[in-house]
Amino acid sequence: MRRKQPVVFLGSEGEAAVVAPDLAAFLGLLADGIGPCEAASPYGPVTDADSRPHEDLKAVALRYAPDRRASAPAVIAAAAREFPDFGTTVMELCR
C-alpha cells in the first residue's frame, strides 16, 4: 500500500511544521482560507473563527478530495498527532 505524504511548512525564521497529513487534507485547509504559514504559526492555534472560506479553492477540494472534508483546526490537529516530532527532527538535522 502506498503511504500518503504530509504537507510541511519550512519558514525562513526556522519554523518547521507538518500542516496537513496529506494533500487531500491540505486542499481542505486551503478551502477554509488557512495557508501553510498560518497553520504553522507559533502564536496560537488556528480556530474555526479564523476560517475565511475561499469558494474557488473549496471547489478544487470538493473535486479532488470530496470524502476528506474537515475543518482547518481538525486538519492541523491530525497532522500534529501523526507527526509530533517533525519540528524537533528538522532542527536536529540543521545543526
Side-chain angles (χ1 to χ4, degrees), residues 56-78:
D56 292 338
L57 293 175
K58 185 176 179 181
V60 171
L62 289 172
R63 179 175 179 189
Y64 292 103
D67 59 337
R68 297 292 306 279
R69 188 72 183 117
S71 69
V75 168
I76 296 166

Side-chain angles (χ1 to χ4, degrees), residues 70-93:
S71 69
V75 168
I76 296 166
R81 278 191 310 274
E82 191 169 344
F83 303 96
D85 300 323
F86 178 78
T88 303
T89 301
V90 170
M91 289 298 115
E92 287 173 357
L93 293 171

Side-chain angles (χ1 to χ4, degrees), residues 22-71:
D22 56 39
L23 181 58
F26 183 64
L27 291 175
L29 189 72
L30 294 176
D32 269 355
I34 305 297
C37 186
E38 294 87 4
S41 174
Y43 301 112
V46 170
T47 67
D48 287 329
D50 298 318
S51 178
R52 303 286 184 264
H54 189 285
E55 292 306 315
D56 292 338
L57 293 175
K58 185 176 179 181
V60 171
L62 289 172
R63 179 175 179 189
Y64 292 103
D67 59 337
R68 297 292 306 279
R69 188 72 183 117
S71 69

